[in-house]
Amino acid sequence: MAMSDITNREAMRLLLIESLVNFSGNEDLRSMDPNAGLQEVFDSLGHFTFLMSLEEQFQRQISDDKFTLTHMGTINGILDVLSESKAVEPKQVNS
């Protein structure tokens, strides 16, 4: 793994944690183990809604089969899926 990949993953991890804290309103999540299950943080609808918001924020297209607790049930799992997901162009707003 190249140093730039490590740096990018670390930047993504920090942004993901900020998003998680902002979405949940729980500051304690900043120190959450990245391998701990997010089912303790969200109910299933909250988890799905949070994951959907990540597509736009990270400008990624996440395949439907990855929207599961198996793949995206932890911070590290979400980072793995985001890293392997296809980048998309940001939506343009017409004036």
Side-chain angles (χ1 to χ4, degrees):
M1 185 179 293
M3 183 58 133
S4 62
D5 292 337
I6 295 169
T7 303
N8 288 340
R9 185 172 174 95
E10 181 62 12
M12 284 177 65
R13 185 185 70 79
L14 293 172
L15 184 56
L16 176 59
I17 290 170
E18 279 304 308
S19 298
L20 187 59
V21 168
N22 289 336
F23 189 87
S24 69
N26 185 346
E27 291 287 330
D28 293 336
L29 297 176
R30 292 184 196 286
S31 58
M32 181 178 186
D33 178 342
N35 293 311
L38 292 173
Q39 64 270 24
E40 301 298 320
V41 176
F42 300 119
D43 61 16
S44 59
L45 179 59
H47 185 250
F48 182 75
T49 303
F50 175 68
L51 295 178
M52 291 294 295
S53 72
L54 297 178
E55 280 190 311
E56 186 174 333
Q57 180 177 359
F58 285 91
Q59 300 175 355
R60 300 283 183 199
Q61 182 177 355
I62 301 170
S63 64
D64 290 344
D65 65 316
K66 297 292 184 179
F67 276 104
T68 66
L69 284 174
T70 302
H71 290 101
M72 299 181 80
T74 66
I75 290 171
N76 279 338
I78 293 170
L79 287 172
D80 290 343
V81 170
L82 289 173
S83 295
E84 49 189 54
S85 297
K86 181 181 175 190
V88 294
E89 294 294 320
K91 293 178 182 174
Q92 298 291 325
V93 177
N94 294 331
S95 305

